[in-house]
Structure formats: C-alpha cells, structure tokens
C-alpha cells in the first residue's frame, strides 16, 4: 500500500544507516567487552546479538542502501532520506580507528548518493576524538563529497562538545556554513546507572536526557557567543527543551546573577534566544500532533522539519498523521520539504 502523493516532497531528515564493516566492529566490541560504555552494551547488545526477529530485521535494514531501503521509502511515501551514521557511530572507538572509519564511511555514503541522487543526501561522520582531524574531514566531506553537514552522536566517551578543545569542529561548521546534527546517544557512563535497571537508557527517555543536556551545555558555556552563526539540529522535537524554555531562561538568569559557578558566564542572549536562532528541530520519533504543533508555534514554522528515524520507527501511519497536521498547505510544505532544502542546501 502506498500513500497518496501530496503537493510536496517528503524529505526525512534523521535516517539511520551503518556500514557492514562498522556493524561487525560493534559485534566484536560486544563479544570482547572491549570498551567502557554501559549504554553501548545496553543498546547494541540487543540489536547486535539477539536472534529476536525485530533485532535481525533492524540489522538488515540499517545496513541496506539499495532495494530494501528504497522500497521501504516507496511504501511510506518518502521521496528523499537524509542519511546519517547510526548512533554512536565511530565515537566509541580509539582515535585512530575512529578517524579511519569516519573517512571510509563518508566515502561509502558518497557512493550510495551518487548512485541514487534523487533519493539520498547525507551528513558526514567525524571522530571528535581528534578535533583538528574532524574539522579537516568535514571540509573534505562537504567540499569534495557533497555531504550536507555533520552528525555527532552526543557524548564522545563521556565528553561533551562545549569543551574548548572541540572548537575546531564549530569553527569548521561555521566556515563551511553547514549544520551539526546532535543526534542522541545513550547517557554517558557518568550518568547512566539509574536509567539501566528500568530500561530507560535509550529512545524511551535516556536519549533525550543525554542530548538535551548536551545542547544546554553548549548554550550556557557560551559556544554561540563565540560562534554566532553556528547551526545545530536536534531531533525528537528538541529533546524536551522547548517545553522547558521559560524555566531555563528564568533559572539561568538567577544562576548568572548569583555568580554560582566558573562554568556559567553571562551570555549575550537568553538561552531561549539561542534555541530560537541557532537551532533547528526535527520530529523524529515524535509523530504526535500536540507536540509538533507546540514546537512549530513556539520555535517558528521555519525551524521544524519532518523526520522518520528509519529504520527504528518505520510506520506509514506516522507519515499519514503528519500529512494530516492541522496547518496550512504552505506550512506543511515547509515542514516536509522546504525547511530541509534550505537548511541542508539540498
Ligand atoms: Mn535517530
């Protein structure tokens, strides 16, 4: 069954994929327990090792960039997928491994897009472990390979991008005028323990706690005063932050006035202003009218984009629900098509 053709292109902006090479490396890590990241074992232990049909099915879909994915896109009315290396990407590996894997991944993504230019666009992967090399790879990926920005899967081995050592990445993104998609990861080893015993560490809630925290760290550390043109994309309708807008501003003002910490300096704008001016949002995983409408009205119809989160949340009824949002035809076209075209220069 396919959906009726609407008067817009459906562009899905947070679509996951992985190379067979990386999936094999994940399985090796799972078998050898060679890294310290409880979230990785919790998430990929199921997908990577379980014989459950859902796990096997997902492992097949996430690695496919040919017939299977294209027919899934046709079945759900998706014209174009913006592909990004699935979480946690290369960020769990040692620096040299991660750098090499990012390069080979970006080359493979480029080949797939070259083969299906009307169906795919993509963001590059980088290894934040080496910020200067990450900046260099971003430049190659954008200028030579034609990729449209970069995905960073939240923390890198418990470290967050507000640390000044990562600033070459922001400098490169600003200079290349491409967005950084901060995609979720499971909570860092420092914060994951109370999530684990109740299975709250991944998409049900832990992703949002981790990634919302990451975005707030960027804001209050002053990253956007240093890089005022920086463009950040958050999925899942902003990982809960739009709902918190008023209280974040109110409390941040008090913290600054009281001079509570070296880590919090006065900012040029209110936190809500950075969230409105430097951030874009996708509705990945949140195909629910009350939340989508809330964020559209609060952040602006030009800031919210459609995403499916294939292959994890692959449901045609969610596409229909978004086709039926109670907004104007023009706003619907912005949501599904033109916001993504403009931001990612598709
Ligand atoms: Mn996702």
């Amino acid at each position: 069954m396919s959906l009726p053709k609407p008067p817009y292109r459906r562009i899905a902006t947070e679509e996951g994929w992985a190379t067979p090479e990386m999936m094999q490396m994940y399985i090796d890590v799972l078998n050898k327990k060679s890294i310290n990241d409880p979230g990785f074992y919790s998430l990929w232990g199921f997908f990577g090792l379980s014989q459950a049909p859902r796990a096997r099915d997902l492992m097949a879909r996430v690695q496919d960039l040919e017939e299977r994915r294209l027919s899934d896109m046709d079945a759900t009315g998706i014209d174009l997928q913006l592909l990004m290396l699935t979480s946690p990407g290369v960020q769990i590996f040692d620096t040299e491994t991660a750098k090499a894997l990012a390069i080979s991944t970006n080359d493979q993504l480029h080949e797939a897009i070259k083969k299906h230019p009307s169906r795919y666009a993509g963001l590059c992967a980088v290894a934040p472990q080496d910020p200067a090399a990450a900046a260099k790879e971003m430049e190659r990926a954008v200028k030579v390979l034609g990729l449209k920005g970069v995905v960073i899967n939240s923390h890198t081995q418990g470290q967050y991008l507000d640390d000044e050592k990562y600033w070459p990445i922001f400098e490169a993104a600003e200079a290349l005028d491409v967005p950084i998609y901060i995609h979720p990861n499971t909570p860092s080893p420092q914060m994951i323990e109370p999530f684990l015993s109740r299975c709250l560490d991944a998409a049900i809630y832990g992703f949002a706690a981790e990634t919302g925290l990451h975005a707030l760290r960027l804001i209050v550390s002053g990253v956007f005063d240093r890089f005022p043109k920086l463009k950040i994309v958050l999925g899942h309708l902003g990982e809960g932050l739009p709902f918190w807008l008023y209280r974040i501003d109110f409390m941040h003002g008090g913290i600054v006035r009281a001079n509570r910490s070296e880590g919090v300096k006065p900012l040029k704008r209110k936190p809500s202003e950075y969230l409105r001016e430097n951030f874009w949002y996708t509705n990945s995983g949140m195909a629910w009218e009350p939340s989508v409408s809330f964020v559209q009205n609060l952040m602006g119809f030009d800031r919210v984009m459609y995403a499916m989160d294939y292959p994890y949340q692959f449901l045609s009824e969610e596409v229909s629900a978004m086709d039926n949002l109670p907004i104007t035809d023009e706003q619907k076209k912005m949501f599904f098509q033109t916001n993504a075209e403009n931001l990612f220069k598709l």
Side-chain angles (χ1 to χ4, degrees):
M1 194 211 75
S2 61
L3 294 163
K5 193 104 193 82
Y8 40 80
R9 284 169 83 207
R10 294 194 194 89
I11 300 175
T13 54
E14 191 201 289
E15 313 312 304
W17 78 291
T19 61
E21 173 192 22
M22 191 179 85
M23 284 294 107
Q24 191 50 55
M25 290 166 78
Y26 278 12
I27 288 166
D28 290 347
V29 169
L30 291 168
N31 286 325
K32 294 182 189 145
K33 304 239 184 307
S34 50
I35 63 167
N36 170 30
D37 183 350
F40 177 79
Y41 296 106
S42 169
L43 185 66
W44 285 99
F46 175 70
F47 289 138
L49 300 180
S50 166
Q51 289 309 312
R54 158 128 174 103
R56 295 339 308 149
D57 179 77
L58 189 130
M59 285 297 272
R61 283 199 154 90
V62 80
Q63 296 176 65
D64 184 282
L65 289 175
E66 292 296 332
E67 281 322 303
R68 183 167 195 155
R69 182 177 296 250
L70 292 168
S71 67
D72 285 348
M73 289 166 65
D74 291 340
T76 46
I78 302 302
D79 295 290
L80 185 126
Q81 281 195 349
L82 182 74
L83 297 161
M84 56 190 73
L85 188 63
T86 202
S87 186
V90 307
Q91 291 163 241
I92 57 167
F93 297 110
D94 68 81
T95 306
E96 292 312 309
T97 304
K99 279 159 66 175
L101 195 57
I103 290 170
S104 104
T105 298
N106 294 335
D107 287 340
Q108 291 176 62
L109 184 53
H110 169 68
E111 287 304 317
I113 295 166
K114 214 163 71 181
K115 223 166 145 190
H116 304 287
S118 67
R119 306 307 301 275
Y120 298 141
L123 302 184
C124 71
V126 294
Q129 295 92 319
D130 182 339
K136 211 173 134 206
E137 177 58 9
M138 280 166 70
E139 189 173 357
R140 183 187 79 98
V142 171
K143 288 189 174 166
V144 181
L145 305 181
L147 300 180
K148 304 301 183 185
V150 56
V151 60
I152 295 183
N153 291 297
S154 202
H155 75 85
T156 301
Q157 300 174 27
Q159 298 200 37
Y160 293 85
L161 295 169
D162 53 288
D163 189 315
E164 266 190 53
K165 74 178 177 187
Y166 293 114
W167 282 9
I169 294 173
F170 297 134
E171 229 158 65
E174 210 181 41
L176 294 163
D177 190 28
V178 293
I180 299 176
Y181 203 121
I182 302 193
H183 183 278
N185 190 354
T186 45
S188 60
Q190 309 93 295
M191 70 185 278
I192 199 169
E193 198 199 326
F195 291 85
L196 282 173
S197 56
R198 300 291 187 193
C199 266
L200 296 171
D201 48 292
I204 185 173
Y205 188 68
F207 282 178
E210 157 68 23
T211 314
L213 170 75
H214 200 157
L216 275 182
R217 287 188 63 106
L218 296 184
I219 291 170
V220 304
S221 69
V223 160
F224 299 99
D225 287 342
R226 173 66 183 72
F227 301 101
K229 295 199 166 83
L230 189 59
K231 297 172 177 174
I232 302 288
V233 186
L234 293 176
H236 318 96
L237 292 173
E239 312 295 359
L241 296 179
F243 200 80
W244 279 80
L245 220 51
Y246 174 82
R247 196 162 212 236
I248 290 168
D249 278 351
F250 186 89
M251 289 297 168
H252 181 259
I255 291 165
V256 169
R257 280 191 299 278
N259 208 5
R260 285 268 301 275
S261 163
E262 275 292 294
V264 182
K265 299 174 196 80
L267 299 175
K268 289 188 180 157
R269 293 177 269 161
K270 289 190 281 189
S272 62
E273 294 177 275
Y274 301 101
L275 283 163
R276 282 205 172 95
E277 292 159 16
N278 293 91
F279 284 75
W280 280 256
Y281 304 90
T282 81
N283 81 312
S284 53
M286 310 281 265
W288 193 43
E289 186 272 323
S291 300
V292 176
S293 292
F294 176 76
V295 178
Q296 285 174 324
N297 283 300
L298 189 70
M299 297 306 194
F301 280 89
D302 57 343
R303 298 229 161 228
V304 185
M305 297 173 284
Y306 172 72
M308 176 179 277
D309 208 8
Y310 183 92
Y312 302 100
Q313 205 160 326
F314 162 48
L315 298 158
S316 65
E317 57 266 38
E318 291 191 349
V319 182
S320 308
M322 295 298 94
D323 278 338
N324 293 324
L325 283 174
I327 55 179
T328 67
D329 289 349
E330 194 195 336
Q331 288 166 337
K332 229 172 266 182
K333 188 168 182 172
M334 292 167 80
F335 174 67
F336 273 105
Q337 179 185 340
T338 53
N339 290 344
E341 287 173 345
N342 293 338
L343 180 65
F344 297 107
K345 301 184 193 129
L346 300 176

